[in-house]
Amino acid sequence: MTTEYQVRLDRAACDGIFACLVRDDRFVEAEDGLAAIESDGEDTLGDHDGDGNQLVTFDDDRLEAAQQAASACPVDAIDVVREGADE
């Protein structure tokens, strides 16, 4: 079953610890040494919300992997929000 959700990465808060990479392979190390999110094999570093966070919408069955990556982040730089859920 697919679920629509957004993953928001606060790159300013990221320390490059990369615990997220181990939990979800859509997180990658960017050229600047911080985490970034890939979508469909493309670097989505350019997708940002108004606050400069990387924001990517997914519609797949990998919500749990994204949530595990967020939980593993020691600086709480990752948020996962299900579409239609209250933030």
Side-chain angles (χ1 to χ4, degrees):
M1 181 172 107
T2 64
T3 303
E4 189 169 340
Y5 58 97
Q6 289 187 320
V7 179
R8 183 174 31 236
L9 172 61
D10 181 351
R11 296 192 81 246
C14 179
D15 277 345
I17 297 167
F18 303 122
C20 54
L21 276 67
V22 178
R23 277 42 175 218
D24 188 337
D25 63 5
R26 294 173 291 187
F27 288 88
V28 297
E29 182 177 354
E31 290 181 13
D32 61 2
L34 301 176
I37 305 169
E38 282 187 337
S39 174
D40 298 326
E42 295 181 23
D43 183 358
T44 57
L45 195 53
D47 297 342
H48 290 86
D49 66 10
D51 296 325
N53 300 313
Q54 188 179 8
L55 184 64
V56 182
T57 301
F58 294 98
D59 189 4
D60 58 28
D61 61 353
R62 298 179 64 189
L63 173 63
E64 185 175 338
Q67 290 171 327
Q68 288 178 0
S71 294
C73 181
V75 294
D76 295 324
I78 304 168
D79 292 311
V80 179
V81 179
R82 287 181 69 166
E83 289 297 308
D86 292 334
E87 286 192 52

